[in-house]
Every structure is written in C-alpha cells, then in structure tokens.
Amino acid sequence: VLIMAGAAALLVRTGRIVGGARLIVAGTWIISTAFMLLSGGLGSPAVVGPLFAIALAGILLGDRECVFTAVLVGVTAFVTAWVELGFGLDFFGPLASPWLRAGFMGSYAIAVAVLQITTSRAIQAALESARLANEGLSMAGKIYDATSEGIVVTTSDGTIIDANEAYLRIHGYARADVIGQNPRMMKSDRHKPEFYQHMWQVLLETGRWQGEVWDRHSDGSLIAKWLSMFAVKDDHGVVTHYVGVFSDITAVKQGQDALEWLATHDPLTGLPNRALIADRLNLAVARSRRQLKSAAVLFIDLDHFKDVNDTMGHSAGDRLLVTIAERFTAIVRESDTVGRSGGDEFTMIVSDFLDLEDLGAFAHRVLTTISEPVTLENREVRVTASIGVAVFPTDGADAAELARHADVAM
C-alpha cells in the first residue's frame, strides 16, 4: 500500500512530490484500519484515533477526497478477499497466507483507485489550464483588434501576414489589399533612401528601431507615424518575423506646423511676418555677397489707411489689406519675398535685378498696383502709398543697415 499508492500519486501528479509523500503517510492509516477491521479493534478510539489524526494532518485538502475514496475501495477489497478465502476461494495458490492474499487485493485496489482519481484530477487540471490559456489568447486577440495603435506583422523578408483593424483604418486599406504585400507600398517621398538604410541597419544590429515616419494613405494624403519596430527570433536566434507598432501623429504634426506657421506669418494676409522678413533679408544679403550681386529691400506704407478703418470699419480695412497682399504676391517672383511688417506696412525683398533703372521700374509697378481701385462695402476705394528703397551693398553692408536706410527713405 505504501509503495503502490504513493508511487501512483507521484507518477500521475507531476511535480506534486510533497502531495505524493503525504499520500504515502496516509497509507499508514489505511493498512492499520484494514487490520483493525479484521481483528475487531476498529472501534477502539485509543488505537484508531491517533493514527487517523496523524494521517489526516499529512494529507493536502485537495487530496483528501482521493485518499478517502481509495481507503473505502481498499478496505472493501481487503475484506472481500478475506471473505472469499474464508469460503474456500483460492486465487493465490495454496502456499499464500490469508493475510498476504487479502493484503495484496487491498493494496492493488487502493493503487488503482488512487491512480484513477489522480489521473482524472490531472486531466481536469490540464483542461482548466488549456481553458485559461485559450481565454488569455482570446483576450489578447480582442486587445490586438481594439487598440488604437496600428500593428503589422511581417515575415523575415518583409511580407505582411497580419495587420490589425487600426492599421487598416489609418492607411485606408482592406485586409485583402495588404496581406502578402510589403509595407513599402505605403511609403511616401518624404524620406531619402539613406533614412531607410539607417533604419534597417539599426533594426538588424539591435533588433529594434523607433522613430518618426511619414507614409501615405490609400487616397494619397500623408500620414505621420511614431513607429516602433522589433525583430522576433526563434530559439536559435534566427529572425522569423518583424512586428511594427505605431501611433498616428498626423494631427499632432499638423498642429505643430500650424503653430510654426503662425510664429512666422501674418494670420490675416498669410504673408511672412516681421521675424521671417528679417531672416529672409539676412539670407538675401548673404547670397548677394557670395554671388557678388545686388539685392534691394522696399518698405511700403499705405497712406491714410486709418481713414478707411475709421469711416468703413475694421473689417473693411482688413479686406483692403488682404487685397493689397494678393496683388503684391502676384507681381513678385518666387525667389523674391513680400511680407507684412505690421499694421499698414509691407516689405519686399528683391534680387537679380539688372540695374537701378530696372529696380525703379519695379517700384513704380508696385505703386501702380496699390492705386488700383478696391471695392469695399459697395464703394470703390483708391489708396496710395509711400515707398522707401535701399540697395545692397550701396546703402548698407548688412541686413540691419539696409532696413534702417529703407525706413528713412520711406
């Protein structure tokens, strides 16, 4: 009983060595009970009580049902064997003693019972473990599809084998459109080849890469992404898959671009503001010095603009400024700059003019453009302007000196 019942528990309940040992301890009570049942001493509290207490203390709560069932089966088999022998039934041969026969029957029955019960319990535990694992996979799948981050899985050669709903939604594709394709199908023209070469070099060397990437939506619009890529390796360290996880930061980038634009442009007319004009003038002077060419800055101030605001309202004054800005933009070259310095003042930076006569003709064209009538509040309004011109390097050796002389000339 001690060897067979304990061994059954040890073999079936893998890893439950302590539990198996305690089942062996329980065997002490089992065999003692059997012997006392046959000897008529089972009802003796002095004998049975201490043995039962010792055995019960050595059994795990989860194993008691198994042990008690085995005891019942074993004792029954023990008694049955004894009764059969008493009636002359000989299963073990004439040389075997009645105690040996009965003991073997009881031991075998107990071992089989323990084996059946522990096996059933092990199967139940395995099924429960599988159920929990399936629930975990199901939960992971739900999170995979519900997350707002795009996730794509590729083979080691970059072929897409799976993508979650966020990835498909952000790029504007159906699943069938991307499976079997390469992520480069979303590539935009914002990055040079060196960018992707460096990205893959880092990924291959470290197994990870993270950074900002601009890709293209299925409708052709640009998508800004904060992308994390990592390699998945097998037990031998060989890359089997790549996983990309990204957040759509297009709205954030658009907000940043808007803030940067407002920092350098006039919100009413959309022209460069004073800060950007100063930067452009510095660049123009540096380029003219390097190329040994001339550059000029024109300061333009609308005459009596305050009267328009006072008599027709500020909205009419704003429309006048927008109209003048549009006219200025139409007459300058792409290489030149026109900006609003503030209020009713505008600035132009021109270069590559032939001579001062050519520059003078351009200044006259500016004044003519301003004097053309503008319709405000169903009224035709004409305005004039004052203009001051300074030429590099004649009127100044740097941007600040040119601006000061142009202001004085105006």
Side-chain angles (χ1 to χ4, degrees), residues 276-295:
L276 185 54
I277 291 171
D279 183 63
R280 297 275 183 87
L281 183 56
N282 279 310
L283 291 176
V285 169
R287 183 173 60 252
S288 296
R289 182 181 292 114
R290 184 172 59 253
Q291 297 177 353
L292 301 177
K293 294 183 178 181
S294 297

Side-chain angles (χ1 to χ4, degrees), residues 172-200:
Y173 286 100
R175 183 176 300 277
D177 297 330
V178 301
I179 300 300
Q181 302 296 322
N182 192 288
R184 71 170 63 96
M185 66 182 290
M186 292 89 170
K187 185 174 68 173
S188 70
D189 299 327
R190 289 287 294 264
H191 304 292
K192 296 181 179 179
E194 293 77 14
F195 172 85
Y196 296 103
Q197 292 172 3
H198 178 264
M199 178 182 74
W200 278 102

Side-chain angles (χ1 to χ4, degrees), residues 141-185:
K142 292 178 180 178
I143 295 173
Y144 177 77
D145 282 329
T147 182
S148 60
E149 280 72 31
I151 304 174
V152 63
V153 182
T154 74
T155 58
S156 58
D157 63 359
T159 302
I160 297 175
I161 60 174
D162 197 13
N164 71 345
E165 293 299 325
Y167 182 93
L168 301 174
R169 184 186 69 254
I170 293 172
H171 288 98
Y173 286 100
R175 183 176 300 277
D177 297 330
V178 301
I179 300 300
Q181 302 296 322
N182 192 288
R184 71 170 63 96
M185 66 182 290

Side-chain angles (χ1 to χ4, degrees), residues 46-198:
V47 178
V48 178
L51 290 173
F52 180 78
I54 293 172
L56 188 64
I59 303 172
L60 295 174
L61 289 177
D63 295 328
R64 288 183 182 179
E65 179 185 354
C66 170
V67 173
F68 292 161
T69 303
V71 169
L72 179 60
V73 174
V75 171
T76 302
F78 198 108
V79 174
T80 300
W82 182 261
V83 171
E84 288 176 346
L85 289 172
F87 280 97
L89 301 176
D90 191 355
F91 297 101
F92 300 94
L95 299 180
S97 69
W99 284 105
L100 177 60
R101 292 180 174 86
F104 183 84
M105 292 285 292
S107 300
Y108 178 77
I110 291 173
V112 171
V114 171
L115 179 62
Q116 291 176 341
I117 295 172
T118 52
T119 301
S120 174
R121 187 168 295 173
I123 293 174
Q124 292 176 359
L127 291 175
E128 178 66 13
S129 177
R131 184 185 67 81
L132 293 176
N134 288 333
E135 288 181 356
L137 290 175
S138 177
M139 179 63 67
K142 292 178 180 178
I143 295 173
Y144 177 77
D145 282 329
T147 182
S148 60
E149 280 72 31
I151 304 174
V152 63
V153 182
T154 74
T155 58
S156 58
D157 63 359
T159 302
I160 297 175
I161 60 174
D162 197 13
N164 71 345
E165 293 299 325
Y167 182 93
L168 301 174
R169 184 186 69 254
I170 293 172
H171 288 98
Y173 286 100
R175 183 176 300 277
D177 297 330
V178 301
I179 300 300
Q181 302 296 322
N182 192 288
R184 71 170 63 96
M185 66 182 290
M186 292 89 170
K187 185 174 68 173
S188 70
D189 299 327
R190 289 287 294 264
H191 304 292
K192 296 181 179 179
E194 293 77 14
F195 172 85
Y196 296 103
Q197 292 172 3
H198 178 264

Side-chain angles (χ1 to χ4, degrees), residues 170-234:
I170 293 172
H171 288 98
Y173 286 100
R175 183 176 300 277
D177 297 330
V178 301
I179 300 300
Q181 302 296 322
N182 192 288
R184 71 170 63 96
M185 66 182 290
M186 292 89 170
K187 185 174 68 173
S188 70
D189 299 327
R190 289 287 294 264
H191 304 292
K192 296 181 179 179
E194 293 77 14
F195 172 85
Y196 296 103
Q197 292 172 3
H198 178 264
M199 178 182 74
W200 278 102
Q201 180 182 354
V202 173
L203 182 60
L204 293 174
E205 291 178 354
T206 67
R208 290 180 174 274
W209 183 88
Q210 187 177 66
E212 181 182 306
V213 176
W214 285 85
D215 279 344
R216 198 170 295 279
H217 191 275
S218 61
D219 63 8
S221 60
L222 292 175
I223 305 171
K225 305 190 298 188
W226 185 257
L227 174 64
S228 297
M229 296 178 61
F230 56 91
V232 179
K233 300 180 180 180
D234 60 18

